[in-house]
Amino acid sequence: MALIEQLEKSHKEALDGLKKAQNEDQVEEIRIKYLGRKGVVTSALRQIKDLSSDQKKAVGQKANQIRNQLEEQIKQTKSDISSLKIEEKLKETTFDYSLPGKMPPLGNKHLISQIIEEVVEILVGLGYQVAEGPEIELDYYNFTALNTPPGHPARSLQDTLYLKDIKDSKKPKEEVLLRTHTSPIQIRYMEKHNPPLYIIAPGKAYRRDIADPSHTPMFHQIEGLAVDEKLSFGDLKGTLEVFVKRLFGEERAIRLRPHFFPFTEPSAEVDVSCSLCLGKGCRLCGGNGWLEILGCGMVDPNVLEEVGVDSEKYRGFAFGMGIERIAVLKHGLDDIRRLYDNDIRFLEQF
Ligand code: DAH
C-alpha cells in the first residue's frame, strides 16, 4: 500500500479510536500508538526520506497535516474527558455550590464589658486616665487608708471574704481580703503619683452577700478620683451631670442627696431622673421620680494626708458607681443574676 494511503487509514483509525475513548488512559494509548516514538504515523514520516523527490513533497505535506490534526484532536478529547469528569463529580455530590454561605454564629461583648467601655469612653473624653488595682487587697488599702480604721462601724456594712494573712507583709498582722469596692485604687494611685491627677478605675469587687435579684457576691464598679488645687463640690456636680447626660441621655437630670462615706466629706448619693416620668413619679420608679446611681463626695483630708498629699494645698473629689446597677437602669433588667447565668439567649440581646 502506498505510504499516503497507509497514513490516511491510520488517521481514520486513530480518529475512530478517540471517539470511543472513555478515559485519559485510553487517549494516551492512542497517542502512543500513532504519534509515539515508534508510532504508526511517526514511522511513516520516517519513511518519507526514501521516496522520490516529487512524492516527498506531497506525502510530507499530507503526513504533517495528519500529525497536526491528530495532535489537536488528542488535546481536545483529553480536555472533553476532564470537564466531563468535573460535571460527573458535581452530579455525585448533593451539595449545591451556588447556595449562599451559612454565617457562623458571632459572639458579642458581654453587657458588663460594653457598659464599662461606654463609661470609660465618656470619662476619658473628660480628661481622666484609666488606673487599675488588685482584686486581692490588703485591709490597709481597702479600709484603713480610706479613713476606715479597725473597729470603724462602716466596716461591718461591707464585711467581706477574708483570705489567709500573708506573712511577708510589711505590716505584721495585715489582713488579706477580696476588695469590697474599687476605692483602694485611689490610695494605690496617690501613693505613686503626685497631683494634679484625674483617674478612673474599673474592676470587680466582692462582698459577703447572698445572691438575689439586686445582689451578687461579685460585681463591678468604676471609681473616679480627681485631685487638684482648686476643686470644689461644684466641679464634682458639673462632672457628674455631664457624665450622666452622656450615659443616659440629655433629657435626664441628677439630684444629690446628703449621705455618709468614711473617705469623703461631705458625701452624697446621686440619683438620676426616671427614664419614663423624668422625675414626676410613675410605676417604673415606684412613684419616686429618681433612681440611685452612685456615691460621691469631696475627698476627706485624712485620706489625702495618709498618702502624703498636702490637704491645705490640694482638694479632691471622688465617685464610685456599680456597673450592674447601670445595666439595670439602662435596660430594665429584672434580675442582675441573669448577667452571670451565661444564657446566650439573654446575653445576645445586648
Ligand atoms: N466605695 C463606695 C461603695 O462601694 C462607693 C463610693 C462612694 C466611692 C463615694 C467613692 C465615693 O469614691 O466618693 O459603696
Side-chain angles (χ1 to χ4, degrees), residues 94-328:
T94 52
F95 192 84
D96 181 349
Y97 289 91
S98 68
L99 284 175
K102 274 189 200 152
M103 268 299 271
L106 282 180
N108 61 298
K109 279 190 184 147
H110 193 280
L111 180 57
I112 293 294
S113 305
Q114 289 181 39
I115 294 177
I116 290 175
E117 281 181 15
E118 207 180 331
V119 169
V120 166
E121 202 179 301
I122 295 170
L123 290 164
V124 165
L126 294 179
Y128 287 75
Q129 286 189 335
V130 176
E132 282 184 315
E135 289 170 31
I136 296 174
E137 189 52 284
L138 297 174
D139 174 292
Y140 173 76
Y141 290 103
N142 196 77
F143 292 124
T144 311
L146 286 162
N147 206 27
T148 320
H152 191 291
R155 281 191 173 217
S156 60
L157 294 176
Q158 297 190 332
D159 233 3
T160 184
L161 301 149
Y162 285 88
L163 308 171
K164 266 204 210 128
D165 292 5
I166 41 167
K167 295 278 178 294
D168 56 356
S169 162
K170 275 175 270 160
K171 300 187 172 62
K173 280 199 92 180
E174 185 66 280
E175 301 255 36
V176 180
L177 47 82
L178 295 181
R179 70 180 179 204
T180 61
H181 50 182
T182 44
S183 304
I185 301 168
Q186 294 188 22
I187 305 298
R188 288 186 174 273
Y189 196 85
M190 285 192 288
E191 275 186 344
K192 295 214 174 81
H193 301 86
N194 293 322
L197 51 90
Y198 293 82
I199 56 155
I200 45 172
K204 293 189 175 80
Y206 303 83
R207 289 189 199 167
R208 243 176 42 190
D209 279 333
I210 307 288
D212 69 19
S214 53
H215 295 87
T216 48
M218 184 285 297
F219 56 99
H220 296 78
Q221 287 189 331
I222 293 194
E223 192 75 15
L225 173 70
V227 182
D228 209 332
E229 280 187 39
K230 288 182 185 127
L231 289 179
S232 71
F233 203 91
D235 294 314
L236 169 60
K237 191 178 174 198
T239 302
L240 293 175
E241 202 158 337
V242 169
F243 168 71
V244 166
K245 282 179 187 288
R246 295 246 171 102
L247 188 62
F248 290 101
E250 286 301 318
E251 71 287 3
R252 311 289 283 275
I254 59 164
R255 172 177 90 168
L256 276 72
R257 279 180 289 106
H259 197 76
F260 173 79
F261 295 106
F263 34 90
T264 43
E265 182 60 35
S267 306
E269 269 187 344
V270 179
D271 299 337
V272 57
S273 55
C274 168
S275 62
L276 201 60
C277 64
L278 297 177
K280 289 192 198 77
C282 69
R283 193 178 34 82
L284 184 67
C285 54
N288 208 333
W290 299 88
L291 303 153
E292 183 208 319
I293 77 153
L294 57 86
C296 68
M298 300 305 291
V299 179
D300 194 302
N302 286 347
V303 174
L304 297 176
E305 293 295 335
E306 180 70 28
V307 289
V309 172
D310 181 353
S311 64
E312 295 290 330
K313 186 170 176 205
Y314 291 104
R315 294 219 239 157
F317 64 73
F319 52 90
M321 68 192 92
I323 301 301
E324 284 77 359
R325 175 92 190 129
I326 293 173
V328 166

